[in-house]
Amino acid sequence: VFQFESAGMRSVLSQLKPESIEDLIAVISLYRPGPMDSIPTYIRNRHNPKEITYKTPLLKDILDVTYGCIVYQEQVMQICRKLAGYSYGRADLVRRAMSKKKHDVMEKERANFIYGAKKEDGTVECVGCIANGVSEKVANEIFDEMSSFASYAFNKSHAAAYAVVAYQTAYLKRHYPKEYMAALLT
């Protein structure tokens, strides 16, 4: 239950009023430095779906499940693939560079994300956002958002495992407190 017991997390949960395991998975992913900045937007959008906006319509199918917010590492990879034409491998390199805070790699990838990249033989490695109709300004905003988020982001399966265990232990603590505490102490 430790995932949900802090005062801050309890406050977020009371504002969110989770209705599904998906909500719990998202909250566990968001309640971290960086992603935490998106919590108010996530809560507002969850309660008011008409207020959801996307920097480009290309983000809708990637971010609709998380109410317009980047929540998971996999979403960063999907954004790189869909908006800039990255391969799966290159998108994973970006995710890893972001999570390890490799700023030199990130600045190179910013240029590739926005303008595209060619291999040494002249073939296209990725087309970049501009080639897909995303303005330079919007591409930079999206890249900035991904960068500030990804350094502390979880992948969804990690957050899902935490959410399931936290939910199960909270259930046991609430409905079987004696047995729960006995198991905890032993």
Side-chain angles (χ1 to χ4, degrees):
V1 188
F2 77 95
Q3 288 291 330
F4 297 141
E5 287 188 319
S6 73
M9 179 61 96
R10 290 168 70 139
S11 173
V12 167
L13 289 169
S14 68
Q15 292 171 52
L16 179 63
K17 298 176 181 58
E19 295 178 351
S20 68
I21 193 74
E22 281 291 334
D23 288 337
L24 299 178
I25 295 168
V27 167
I28 284 174
S29 293
L30 287 168
Y31 201 80
R32 304 176 55 66
M36 190 176 274
D37 294 340
S38 297
I39 290 173
T41 304
Y42 184 89
I43 291 170
R44 184 195 72 224
N45 291 350
R46 160 91 163 36
H47 294 298
N48 306 292
K50 291 179 181 162
E51 293 186 27
I52 298 172
T53 59
Y54 302 97
K55 292 186 186 313
T56 171
L58 296 172
L59 292 175
K60 186 177 185 327
D61 65 331
I62 298 169
L63 302 180
D64 63 348
V65 70
T66 53
Y67 310 105
C69 298
I70 300 173
V71 176
Y72 308 114
Q73 289 179 353
E74 292 89 345
Q75 289 174 310
V76 168
M77 293 175 64
Q78 288 176 300
I79 290 167
C80 288
R81 288 192 36 76
K82 186 165 187 177
L83 273 63
Y86 279 38
S87 66
Y88 285 110
R90 188 174 191 96
D92 190 50
L93 290 175
V94 170
R95 179 199 59 78
R96 278 189 272 153
M98 286 180 177
S99 67
K100 294 185 177 165
K101 300 178 183 96
K102 294 184 176 179
H103 299 292
D104 55 330
V105 174
M106 289 308 300
E107 281 313 303
K108 181 182 176 207
E109 285 306 324
R110 176 187 298 274
N112 296 336
F113 181 77
I114 296 167
Y115 306 107
K118 291 187 178 182
K119 295 180 184 175
E120 288 183 21
D121 65 4
T123 59
V124 174
E125 190 160 354
C126 64
V127 296
C129 289
I130 291 174
N132 283 328
V134 178
S135 73
E136 181 178 2
K137 179 182 180 289
V138 169
N140 266 307
E141 289 172 5
I142 292 168
F143 198 85
D144 287 342
E145 191 176 332
M146 289 190 308
S147 294
S148 68
F149 154 84
S151 57
Y152 294 98
F154 278 166
N155 61 52
K156 190 172 183 180
S157 63
H158 186 89
Y162 272 31
V164 168
V165 170
Y167 181 81
Q168 289 171 332
T169 54
Y171 179 88
L172 293 171
K173 186 175 181 180
R174 168 68 179 95
H175 296 285
Y176 300 94
K178 292 176 199 154
E179 294 85 351
Y180 173 84
M181 293 308 291
L184 186 64
L185 293 172
T186 58

